[in-house]
């Protein structure tokens, strides 16, 4: 059975949580495509050329320390502007999307570029303030000293870069269903996504 769920949206909107629950619930493989860009960004921070890094990623690059750090997220957003870097990552993502048993991919351009034929397309979003608040709370729980304004700046600058780039900008596919989680609990957002997938199966 081939069945692809494409989930796009800005940082900290809830795509990751929704994707993980859908994968578990329906037995789909899950790919957090942001990790690919983060892995390239991390190698660029270590002095490598972005395109060389994108063309030679291995499974080991998708693990290890620091991938979730805010500096790596910004580096990921910067390398994601380079069309050749994006092109180098397309085949892997498309093959993953056709995994036997179904797949859920989350990112910025899954419904628009990577899997325009996905059976379900969701665009998960929330206001920048709500997303920054969630990120800020996570950082605090993890024991990191951060200011809310710094987190909000980070969210806004990444949004601006991701939405305004020429190649594969962040935007909902025409046939995507938008889930705005600004005033929803995690459980409500997940339930809505489960309902939409069930309706298509
Ligand atoms: O989802 P994330 O926060 O881990 O993504 C990090 C950055 O990678 C994001 O700011 C832009 C880029 N990205 C992208 O351009 N396309 C994707 N499909 C996934 C992520």
């Amino acid at each position: 059975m081939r069945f692809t769920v494409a989930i796009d949206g800005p940082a900290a909107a809830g795509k990751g949580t929704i994707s993980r629950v859908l994968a578990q619930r329906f037995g789909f493989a899950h790919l957090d495509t942001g990790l690919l860009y983060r892995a390239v960004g991390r190698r660029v921070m270590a002095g490598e050329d972005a395109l060389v890094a994108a063309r030679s990623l291995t499974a080991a690059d998708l693990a290890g320390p620091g991938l979730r750090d805010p500096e790596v997220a910004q580096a990921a957003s910067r390398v994601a502007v380079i069309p050749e870097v994006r092109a180098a990552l397309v085949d892997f993502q498309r093959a993953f999307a056709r995994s036997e048993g179904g797949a859920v991919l989350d990112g910025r351009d899954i419904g628009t570029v990577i899997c325009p034929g996905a059976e379900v397309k969701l665009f998960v979003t929330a206001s920048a303030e709500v997303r920054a608040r969630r990120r800020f709370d996570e950082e605090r729980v993890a024991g990191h000293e951060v200011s809310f304004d710094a987190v909000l700046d980070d969210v806004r600058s990444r949004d601006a870069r991701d939405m305004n780039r020429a190649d594969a900008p962040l935007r909902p596919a025409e046939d995507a269903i938008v889930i705005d989680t600004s005033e929803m609990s995690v459980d409500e957002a997940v339930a809505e996504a489960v309902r939409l997938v069930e309706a298509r199966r």
Side-chain angles (χ1 to χ4, degrees):
M1 194 256 326
R2 314 277 182 198
F3 188 92
T4 307
V5 182
I7 305 190
D8 292 305
K15 327 183 276 297
T17 307
I18 291 175
S19 302
R20 279 189 295 277
V21 173
L22 291 180
Q24 206 173 22
R25 163 101 183 220
F26 296 102
F28 299 150
H30 172 217
L31 180 64
D32 169 358
T33 64
L35 285 183
L36 304 173
Y37 293 91
R38 285 171 183 258
V40 175
R42 188 171 58 176
R43 280 172 60 172
V44 168
M45 287 167 75
E48 256 189 77
D49 174 72
L51 190 50
V52 171
R55 288 187 175 151
S56 61
L57 279 190
T58 67
D61 286 306
L62 304 183
L67 269 188
R68 297 276 172 204
D69 291 354
E71 306 76 51
V72 176
Q74 288 289 351
S77 176
R78 283 194 294 271
V79 300
V81 168
I82 306 168
E84 293 81 4
V85 166
R86 307 197 68 82
L89 302 175
V90 167
D91 288 350
F92 175 76
Q93 295 176 81
R94 289 202 176 133
F96 191 96
R98 299 280 86 191
S99 298
E100 184 57 45
V104 49
L105 286 81
D106 70 285
R108 303 289 188 289
D109 62 340
I110 309 304
T112 50
V113 174
I114 302 297
C115 305
E119 281 74 12
V120 177
K121 293 185 191 176
L122 306 180
F123 191 85
V124 180
T125 189
S127 71
E129 287 75 14
V130 165
R131 290 182 288 119
R133 171 62 56 188
R134 289 179 190 154
R135 228 350 100 77
F136 175 73
D137 291 344
E138 283 168 13
E139 293 286 337
R140 282 297 182 88
V141 168
H144 301 150
E145 276 296 319
V146 285
S147 78
F148 176 76
D149 288 347
V151 176
L152 183 58
D153 275 357
D154 207 61
V155 162
R156 286 202 170 125
S157 70
R158 209 137 64 88
D159 281 359
R161 202 184 296 111
D162 295 347
M163 292 191 298
N164 294 319
R165 68 186 175 216
D167 189 21
L170 169 65
R171 60 175 175 76
E174 269 175 23
D175 51 351
I177 296 163
V178 177
I179 301 180
D180 187 329
T181 67
S182 300
E183 303 202 346
M184 279 175 138
S185 69
V186 175
D187 287 351
E188 284 169 336
V190 164
E192 174 71 355
V194 167
R195 196 182 61 71
L196 291 166
V197 171
E198 261 165 359
R200 278 306 306 267
R201 281 195 356 130

